[in-house]
């Protein structure tokens, strides 16, 4: 049974209850046939406005909003007009049965694919004697699998009396089948084009032989063209056809009983959300506009730090999803990429393949750089077919620079000292508080990172743009440049305004100079597949690492809490429908204790569940960020990922000299020779330093041992790559710290492969990110103590840290 088994069991229980609710004696007449307007509706599969009278559980399931207008005629004397307006799961309904009655009502549905319930309440007015009755219905639907749907409904729940006749309760049990969806590779595509349905209408207090049976089918031989039909008892036959545009559907249907045509209907549906399989006219072809800006990260996070003030990141996943949709969308013929001061080369590295895929598919991509930009903007734009810059745009910060400031002398003047212990000559965190200059080891690794990043950046631009290394080196020397300078260097194609970039994109896409432009992130796509399986879980581990709940670190910004991440890992690994787990790490490290708790959880859970565990590293996965990755069966890193930093550091401020200078007297009462190791009132003696170094060394040895076990290497090999060294991804792979160069998409593909999930199967990711605070907490916060503890936390003095230095090129 899948992870949501309780919901599935509830759906089955509700359907069985409907089936068993019919006594054996026939005291009610055979129920009349249901009103069909398209020819094959079923209580198991209806998901639009027609659900108002077939099964209210289907209201709002397919479209975020819909206006359905139906005209139904029975011979020359009877005509029924229906209007249904839905918004989400809420619906308003009006019906006019010419010269006889009018009906007004509303419905509401709620739930997900595996279990959805709904109810309606309507009031019927007799036009002749003005009699009014209230009627109610209840329904349930469950899409148990991509190929199976179940539905049930109860009409006339309270058996109202209308025109002196009791409306007897009627139960409907329904089944939907998509045989082609039994193939995993076809389930979300061609598998949706053939649907069979079966409905049984059972009278209350009646016998099974009085039930009505209807068998229907829907076939989509061509995208946007649907052929529908149904047969029912009493020699009833329905045939219909529908033409579907992206946001509208027109359908016609006729009904034949006992050899005579007895009715016909026409239906117009105008809806929000877009159908992918639809008839698309030339006027509906478009250019998709995708805006890229800000500091990209795995998640959109905000926070405050003492060093940088307010910090905010923008999630890159929605950008990837827009590019994937643009590739798959038949309406989209090209992309206008609006690039505005974007950063984080590792995240941009993961966007570039999507741009390449669009270009290979014949969908041109034009970068529009109104303001110019820096290294990140130029790096992303270079993957496009054309680059257009604004006339007054400015390109700056194209060089690389790392600044190191050292505070020891200044602190000495104030009588403050920072005691620090670390294992690893290259472990630089907090060294700027206890030293006066850059050590040779720090200088070595900084220079190496700059060299690698610069080479990767230059090689990528040289492969993508018509320029040479000398001209590119001149552009990257740190000076600001105007757009015309980059045109001469071959890095920008032309100068113009937005309309010029749009015209260029339209021309390249063969849509003319004034194409239709749409923002895909503002247009919802309709989901046609039933219950897309969740096979892979992605847990996002973003920010500095701390114990407890995720929140904000006062020095480093948004932080992941070990309790939060462990809880998410437990959920991901324990879900029965999830067959592989990916841990996405973007963290400089943090608390050694918290890092070990997360590492232990991953190591334990993958052994207990036997599920593949793949790690994907973002911009940085260093020190504690690498520690929590070490249990991965396979580790992926982007070319610009900074990782490694296998080392341990701890620090403590001391105000002994400041107290002495300001004549602050302190009396100490102790039990233990070294109880002042963590005191901010005492400098470390040589013996204290040795004790602290010894404790740090033991933790470093444990760190190395865990990495060695996870990587299948010897402790000596890991130690040789450790000592606090920060590696770029290529160097890390050479030292066996990572396995492959690639982004999150490649890690997910590897997880699928290890779990035996066919490459062609469409799946849905189960994603776990940083919990979003509630509205009240976001607006005014909770008690001051909780805010200080969780949101404004600094590392505790003396706390062991697996932390990479925050400064990065």
């Amino acid at each position: 049974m899948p992870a949501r088994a309780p919901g599935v069991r509830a759906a089955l229980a509700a359907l069985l209850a409907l089936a068993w609710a019919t006594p054996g004696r026939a005291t009610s007449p055979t129920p009349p046939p249901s009103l069909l307007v398209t020819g094959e509706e079923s209580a198991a599969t209806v998901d639009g406005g027609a659900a108002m009278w077939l099964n209210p559980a289907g209201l709002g399931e397919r479209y975020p909003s819909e206006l359905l207008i139906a005209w139904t005629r029975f011979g020359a004397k009877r005509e029924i007009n229906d209007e249904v307006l839905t918004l989400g799961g809420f619906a308003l309904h009006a019906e006019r049965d010419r010269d006889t009655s009018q009906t007004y009502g509303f419905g509401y549905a709620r739930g997900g694919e595996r279990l959805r319930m709904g109810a309606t309440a309507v009031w019927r007015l007799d036009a002749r004697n003005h009699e009014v009755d209230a009627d109610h219905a209840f329904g349930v639907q469950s899409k148990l699998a991509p190929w199976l749907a179940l539905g049930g409904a109860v009409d006339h729940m309270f058996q109202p009396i209308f025109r002196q006749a009791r409306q007897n309760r009627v139960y409907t049990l329904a089944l939907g089948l998509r045989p082609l969806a039994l193939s995993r590779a076809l389930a979300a595509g061609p598998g949706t084009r053939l649907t069979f349905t079966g409905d049984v209408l059972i009278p209350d207090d009646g016998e099974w032989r009085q039930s009505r049976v209807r068998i229907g089918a829907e076939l989509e031989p061509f995208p946007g063209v649907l052929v529908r039909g149904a047969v029912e008892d009493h020699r009833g036959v329905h045939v219909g056809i529908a033409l579907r545009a992206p946001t509208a559907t027109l359908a016609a249907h006729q009904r034949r009983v006992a050899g005579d045509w007895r009715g016909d209907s026409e239906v117009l549906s105008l809806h929000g959300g877009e159908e992918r399989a639809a008839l698309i006219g030339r006027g509906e072809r478009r250019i998709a506009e995708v805006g890229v800006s800000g500091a990209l990260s795995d998640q959109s996070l905000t926070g405050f730090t003492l060093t940088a003030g307010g910090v905010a990141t923008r999630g890159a996943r929605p950008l990837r999803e827009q590019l994937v949709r643009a590739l798959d969308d038949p309406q989209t013929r090209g992309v206008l990429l609006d690039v505005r001061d974007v950063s984080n080369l590792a995240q941009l590295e993961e966007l570039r393949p999507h741009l390449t895929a669009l270009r290979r598919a014949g969908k041109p991509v034009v970068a529009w750089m109104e303001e110019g930009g820096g290294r990140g903007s130029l790096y992303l734009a270079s993957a496009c077919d054309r680059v257009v810059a604004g006339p007054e745009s400015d390109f700056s910060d194209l060089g690389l620079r790392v600044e190191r400031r050292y505070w020891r002398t200044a602190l000495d003047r104030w009588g403050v000292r920072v005691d620090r212990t670390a294992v690893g000559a290259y472990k630089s965190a907090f060294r700027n508080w206890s030293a006066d200059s850059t050590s040779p080891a720090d200088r070595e690794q900084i220079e190496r990172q700059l060299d690698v990043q610069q080479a990767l950046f230059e090689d990528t631009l040289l492969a993508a743009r018509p320029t040479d290394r000398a001209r590119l080196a001149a552009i990257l020397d740190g000076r600001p440049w105007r757009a015309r300078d980059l045109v001469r260097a071959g890095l920008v194609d032309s100068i113009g305004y937005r309309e010029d970039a749009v015209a260029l994109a339209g021309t390249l896409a063969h849509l003319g100079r004034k194409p239709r432009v749409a923002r895909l992130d503002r247009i919802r796509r309709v989901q046609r597949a039933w219950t897309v399986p969740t096979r892979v879980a992605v847990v996002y581990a973003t920010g500095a690492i701390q114990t407890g709940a995720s929140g904000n670190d006062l020095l480093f910004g948004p932080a992941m809490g070990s309790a939060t991440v462990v809880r998410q890992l437990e959920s991901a690994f324990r879900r029965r429908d999830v067959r592989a787990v990916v841990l996405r790490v973007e963290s400089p490290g943090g608390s050694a204790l918290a890092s070990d708790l997360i590492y232990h959880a991953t190591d334990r859970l993958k052994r207990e569940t036997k599920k593949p565990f793949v790690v994907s590293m973002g911009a940085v996965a260093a020190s504690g960020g690498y520690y929590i990755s070490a249990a991965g069966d396979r580790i992926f890193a982007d070319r610009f990922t900074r990782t490694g930093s296998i080392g341990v550091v701890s620090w403590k401020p001391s105000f002994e000299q400041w107290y002495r200078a300001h004549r602050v007297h302190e009396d100490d009462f102790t039990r233990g020779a070294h109880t002042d190791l963590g005191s901010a009132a005492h400098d470390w003696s040589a013996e204290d330093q040795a004790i602290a170094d010894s404790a740090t060394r033991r933790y470093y040895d444990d760190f190395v041992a865990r990495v060695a076990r996870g990587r299948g290497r010897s402790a000596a090999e890991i130690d040789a790559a450790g000592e606090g060294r920060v590696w770029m991804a290529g160097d890390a792979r050479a030292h066996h710290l990572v396995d492959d160069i690639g982004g999150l998409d490649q890690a997910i593909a590897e997880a699928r492969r290890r779990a035996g999930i066919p490459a062609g199967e469409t799946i849905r990711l189960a994603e776990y990110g940083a919990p979003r605070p509630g509205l009240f907490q976001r607006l005014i916060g909770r008690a001051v103590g909780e805010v200080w503890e969780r949101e404004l936390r600094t590392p505790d003095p003396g706390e062991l840290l697996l932390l990479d230095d925050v400064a990065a090129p």
Side-chain angles (χ1 to χ4, degrees), residues 26 62 84 103 196 237 256 298 383 464 480 484 630 686 705 732 750 768:
R62 187 180 186 93
V84 180
T103 302
F196 293 108
V237 178
R256 185 171 184 167
D298 287 327
R484 59 179 177 268
E750 175 67 11
Y768 298 82

XYZ file of all heavy atoms in Angstrom, residues 26 62 84 103 196 237 256 298 383 464 480 484 630 686 705 732 750 768:
136
model
N -37.429 -4.343 -3.477
C -37.648 -3.327 -4.501
C -38.851 -2.472 -4.133
O -39.990 -2.850 -4.380
C -37.854 -3.984 -5.854
N -9.619 19.712 -12.281
C -8.824 19.852 -13.510
C -8.371 21.291 -13.740
O -7.218 21.531 -14.077
C -9.633 19.365 -14.703
C -8.829 19.304 -16.000
C -9.713 18.816 -17.143
N -8.946 18.603 -18.357
C -8.416 17.453 -18.730
N -8.532 16.410 -17.937
N -7.751 17.343 -19.860
N -22.242 26.709 -15.172
C -21.480 26.375 -13.961
C -20.233 27.239 -13.942
O -19.479 27.282 -14.927
C -21.089 24.884 -13.919
C -20.310 24.584 -12.638
C -22.312 23.993 -14.013
N -33.234 25.975 -11.402
C -32.439 25.424 -10.309
C -31.226 26.306 -10.063
O -30.551 26.730 -11.019
C -31.970 23.995 -10.640
O -33.112 23.179 -10.892
C -31.171 23.407 -9.488
N -11.601 4.315 -20.468
C -12.859 3.574 -20.392
C -13.496 3.838 -19.035
O -12.802 3.935 -18.011
C -12.626 2.070 -20.558
C -12.151 1.674 -21.926
C -10.842 1.255 -22.128
C -13.015 1.716 -23.013
C -10.404 0.883 -23.376
C -12.580 1.345 -24.277
C -11.271 0.928 -24.467
N -27.635 4.973 -26.458
C -26.336 5.150 -27.083
C -26.013 6.639 -27.109
O -26.865 7.455 -27.488
C -26.310 4.577 -28.520
C -24.951 4.832 -29.158
C -26.625 3.095 -28.523
N -29.225 8.503 -28.358
C -30.204 7.695 -29.076
C -30.741 6.628 -28.119
O -29.974 5.926 -27.454
C -29.555 7.039 -30.285
C -30.511 6.277 -31.181
C -29.790 5.867 -32.445
N -30.678 5.200 -33.396
C -30.377 4.953 -34.655
N -29.178 5.299 -35.122
N -31.225 4.344 -35.450
N 19.170 27.037 -3.745
C 18.188 25.981 -3.886
C 16.817 26.416 -3.407
O 15.805 25.908 -3.867
C 18.637 24.747 -3.099
C 19.793 24.038 -3.782
O 19.844 24.049 -5.014
O 20.646 23.480 -3.075
N 25.131 31.370 -22.932
C 24.522 30.122 -23.380
C 23.367 30.362 -24.342
O 22.772 29.393 -24.821
C 24.030 29.322 -22.178
N 31.483 29.507 -26.230
C 30.123 29.924 -26.577
C 30.054 31.195 -27.403
O 29.105 31.390 -28.169
C 29.311 30.123 -25.290
N 34.904 48.642 -15.206
C 33.526 48.651 -15.734
C 33.553 48.900 -17.239
O 34.425 49.609 -17.755
C 32.867 49.809 -14.976
C 33.987 50.728 -14.614
C 35.192 49.847 -14.393
N 28.680 48.781 -25.645
C 29.378 48.787 -26.942
C 30.764 48.145 -26.836
O 31.262 47.579 -27.808
C 29.486 50.220 -27.468
C 30.217 51.193 -26.561
C 30.293 52.575 -27.197
N 30.923 53.542 -26.307
C 30.253 54.298 -25.458
N 28.929 54.178 -25.357
N 30.879 55.156 -24.670
N 28.905 12.631 3.257
C 29.858 11.527 3.133
C 29.207 10.163 3.058
O 29.819 9.205 2.577
C 30.844 11.559 4.313
N 49.404 27.940 27.523
C 49.956 26.948 26.597
C 49.353 25.579 26.874
O 49.071 24.800 25.943
C 51.476 26.903 26.725
N 37.614 9.398 9.664
C 37.183 8.000 9.659
C 35.811 7.850 9.015
O 35.568 6.898 8.251
C 37.158 7.457 11.085
N 38.373 17.996 -6.317
C 37.752 17.087 -5.351
C 37.532 15.709 -5.967
O 37.722 14.685 -5.292
C 36.423 17.674 -4.877
N 20.602 9.691 -11.549
C 21.351 8.584 -10.949
C 20.507 7.871 -9.895
O 20.537 6.636 -9.797
C 22.636 9.114 -10.318
C 23.459 8.083 -9.557
C 24.075 7.014 -10.436
O 24.047 7.174 -11.679
O 24.584 6.014 -9.895
N 11.526 18.371 0.113
C 11.542 18.825 1.504
C 12.494 20.009 1.609
O 13.695 19.873 1.395
C 12.009 17.710 2.439
C 11.131 16.479 2.450
C 11.263 15.504 1.474
C 10.184 16.294 3.451
C 10.470 14.365 1.484
C 9.382 15.152 3.469
C 9.535 14.202 2.488
O 8.747 13.075 2.497
